[in-house]
Amino acid sequence: DEASDTRVELRTTTGGIIGTATNTDTSLVVGHSLAIGSLSDSTLYFFKALSQDFAGNASAWSATANFTTPAAPDVTVPVISGIVTSGVDARSVTITFATNEIGDTEVQYGLNDTYGTTAISTVDVLDHVIDLTSLTPGTVYHYQVRSTDPANNVAAWSTDATFTTADAEFGVSDV
């Protein structure tokens, strides 16, 4: 409850000191805070603090406390590979693809490359499977896929591809 400076000793282990910081504000304060920069991501730090008043009287070091810095944010978009259509019949198709990290599944499809219909699975997976149903027999459909990871990094849409549903009388057709 007496105006004083702010000093913090910072360590990454309970052993050696990696740095000491002192408040650069020359005014003495009752409420203390000190910003410390250049910390490493996902690192456990230990610290203790003391203060010294105008007359040079220093407090005892506080008990050692700790904190962990957060992990670096994920800024990597999913990479899509292995896009395959299978099980094409007169009214449905299964589209599968893989990503290098977990993410949702999104497929745009339609009668041309402006698509018009979107199918989404919000389950985060590496191996993506989505069934398109209620299709028109004997019809060429355009489609593209993408995925968004849990950190909201969105992959670019894949290139346009097509499949053709089977004629109602004839069974399976795949392009």
Side-chain angles (χ1 to χ4, degrees):
D1 62 346
E2 180 181 356
S4 57
D5 69 2
T6 305
R7 298 179 196 181
V8 174
E9 197 175 84
L10 187 65
R11 306 164 186 260
T12 55
T13 66
T14 54
I17 299 170
I18 63 165
T20 301
T22 302
N23 191 344
T24 56
D25 183 351
T26 57
S27 61
L28 302 179
V29 296
V30 175
H32 300 269
S33 67
L34 184 62
I36 300 173
S38 301
L39 300 178
S40 299
D41 298 327
S42 301
T43 302
L44 176 62
Y45 287 94
F46 298 88
F47 68 96
K48 59 184 179 178
L50 72 76
S51 295
Q52 183 172 318
D53 67 15
F54 180 74
N57 300 309
S59 67
W61 282 103
S62 68
T64 299
N66 66 67
F67 64 92
T68 300
T69 52
D74 174 6
V75 295
T76 304
V77 299
V79 176
I80 295 171
S81 63
I83 303 169
V84 175
T85 58
S86 62
V88 181
D89 63 26
R91 300 227 178 253
S92 65
V93 64
T94 299
I95 298 176
T96 60
F97 63 94
T99 52
N100 64 327
E101 62 176 314
I102 64 169
D104 66 4
T105 305
E106 190 170 355
V107 177
Q108 285 188 331
Y109 64 100
L111 301 179
N112 54 46
D113 62 6
T114 59
Y115 309 105
T117 305
T118 303
I120 298 173
S121 170
T122 58
V123 177
D124 290 329
V125 295
L126 289 171
D127 297 313
H128 304 261
V129 178
I130 200 151
D131 294 318
L132 307 182
T133 59
S134 302
L135 303 175
T136 303
T139 303
V140 175
Y141 284 90
H142 290 254
Y143 73 96
Q144 61 183 358
V145 304
R146 77 174 178 188
S147 182
T148 302
D149 71 15
N152 288 318
N153 298 305
V154 182
W157 285 107
S158 64
T159 57
D160 179 66
T162 61
F163 63 88
T164 303
T165 54
D167 290 329
E169 311 86 53
F170 298 115
V172 175
S173 174
D174 189 350
V175 175

